[in-house]
């Protein structure tokens, strides 16, 4: 069975600075997708970024980028130039390429200090 | 463009009561799922469906039933509510597998007293 682990229950960052959220996962599959979702206080789940396991290039979306280390089964999220609106719960998630089921990590609560 | 619509947004039940959480999507997605979110545990899969008439159990299915009679709707039934079912419930849908994005409803906060 696949597992996803986020070892940082809480993180904080100063506005305009950079923060990295960690995620590790375990799977026996070689072809899969990894996702970061953001959940603000509104409870809405918002996709931040996705990574295809067979692509070596790290995904980037504006201020959000990932460091994908397939051999180490690590998938961290870097937020640059942090903004107050980035404050949220962040979830790392895994999905096998041929399946529809998402496996989530425990979540990291990010606080952005002005 | 409604996306995924969940009702109700909040609900309080007494132990032993039954209820149905509604989920509807207007994006013609084949794949739909129900998750529950608990503090420190992330989201866990309850049941999922890969198309009308097809459902399967996820990680934590006990105490819940689902059915999928149409592509659009995927209701979740609590048969006899228990305090352990106090949680936030999310319905999600996606067009397919691969890297297709899962779209989530706004969630239902359920409290069982």
């Amino acid at each position: 069975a696949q597992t996803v682990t986020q070892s940082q229950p809480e993180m904080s960052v100063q506005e305009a600075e950079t923060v990295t959220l960690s995620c590790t996962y375990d799977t026996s599959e070689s072809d899969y997708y990894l996702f970061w979702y953001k959940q603000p206080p509104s409870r809405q789940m918002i996709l931040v970024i996705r990574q295809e396991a067979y692509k070596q290039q790290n995904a980037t979306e504006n201020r959000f980028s990932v460091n994908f280390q397939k051999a180490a089964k690590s998938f961290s999220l870097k937020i640059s130039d942090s903004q107050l609106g980035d404050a949220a719960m962040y979830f790392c998630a895994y999905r096998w390429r041929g399946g529809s089921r998402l496996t989530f990590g425990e979540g990291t609560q990010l606080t952005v200090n002005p | 463009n409604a996306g995924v619509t969940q009702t109700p947004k909040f609900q309080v039940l007494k132990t032993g009561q039954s209820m149905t959480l509604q989920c509807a999507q207007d994006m013609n997605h084949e794949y739909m799922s129900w998750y529950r979110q608990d503090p420190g545990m992330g989201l866990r899969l309850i049941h999922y469906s890969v198309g009308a008439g097809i459902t399967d159990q996820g990680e934590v299915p006990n105490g819940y039933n689902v059915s999928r009679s149409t592509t659009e709707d995927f209701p979740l039934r609590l048969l006899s509510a228990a305090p352990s079912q106090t949680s936030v419930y999310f319905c999600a849908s996606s067009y397919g597998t691969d890297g297709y994005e899962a779209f989530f409803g706004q969630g239902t906060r359920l409290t069982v007293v």
Side-chain angles (χ1 to χ4, degrees):
Chain A
Q2 296 82 16
T3 59
V4 178
T5 303
Q6 294 177 248
S7 58
Q8 307 154 315
E10 298 177 347
M11 292 281 286
S12 64
V13 63
Q14 292 296 126
E15 195 175 4
E17 295 192 346
T18 296
V19 64
T20 298
L21 309 184
S22 301
C23 172
T24 59
Y25 60 95
D26 190 24
T27 181
S28 59
E29 303 292 341
S30 60
D31 207 358
Y32 50 86
Y33 290 83
L34 296 164
F35 306 84
W36 279 98
Y37 279 89
K38 171 185 177 181
Q39 185 182 48
S42 67
R43 240 173 30 208
Q44 183 65 48
M45 294 287 286
I46 302 165
L47 178 65
V48 175
I49 199 165
R50 87 189 82 191
Q51 174 77 42
E52 301 169 54
Y54 59 87
K55 286 189 176 180
Q56 293 192 346
Q57 185 174 4
N58 289 325
T60 299
E61 289 286 345
N62 300 316
R63 297 182 295 107
F64 299 86
S65 62
V66 299
N67 184 5
F68 173 50
Q69 301 290 327
K70 189 172 184 179
K73 296 181 180 175
S74 171
F75 183 60
S76 60
L77 175 70
K78 185 171 81 171
I79 306 175
S80 304
D81 186 24
S82 297
Q83 301 176 359
L84 295 177
D86 294 333
M89 179 73 82
Y90 286 82
F91 291 101
C92 178
Y94 163 99
R95 183 166 76 197
W96 172 56
R97 185 184 181 92
S100 61
R101 304 165 56 144
L102 282 165
T103 300
F104 286 88
E106 302 89 340
T108 297
Q109 181 68 51
L110 178 67
T111 301
V112 180
N113 300 309
Chain B
N1 188 2
V4 179
T5 302
Q6 274 184 248
T7 55
K9 288 186 171 51
F10 301 92
Q11 182 71 49
V12 178
L13 285 180
K14 293 183 179 179
T15 297
Q17 286 185 318
S18 62
M19 79 159 295
T20 299
L21 306 185
Q22 301 291 344
C23 177
Q25 52 91 9
D26 62 358
M27 297 173 283
N28 201 32
H29 286 172
E30 288 296 322
Y31 296 85
M32 297 187 74
S33 308
W34 277 101
Y35 295 86
R36 59 177 288 172
Q37 180 181 1
D38 302 292
M41 305 188 76
L43 281 75
R44 293 179 293 167
L45 182 66
I46 304 172
H47 286 286
Y48 65 103
S49 169
V50 299
I54 306 170
T55 64
D56 205 348
Q57 296 182 353
E59 185 183 355
V60 287
N62 292 341
Y64 308 94
N65 268 357
V66 292
S67 60
R68 184 99 180 268
S69 56
T70 67
T71 299
E72 294 77 20
D73 300 299
F74 191 44
L76 177 72
R77 282 181 288 275
L78 280 70
L79 308 174
S80 177
S84 61
Q85 293 178 305
T86 294
S87 187
V88 178
Y89 291 85
F90 286 95
C91 178
S93 75
S94 63
Y95 178 75
T97 56
D98 287 341
Y100 287 104
E101 177 181 353
F103 291 84
F104 287 80
Q106 289 275 49
T108 297
R109 180 174 293 279
L110 175 68
T111 302
V112 183
V113 298

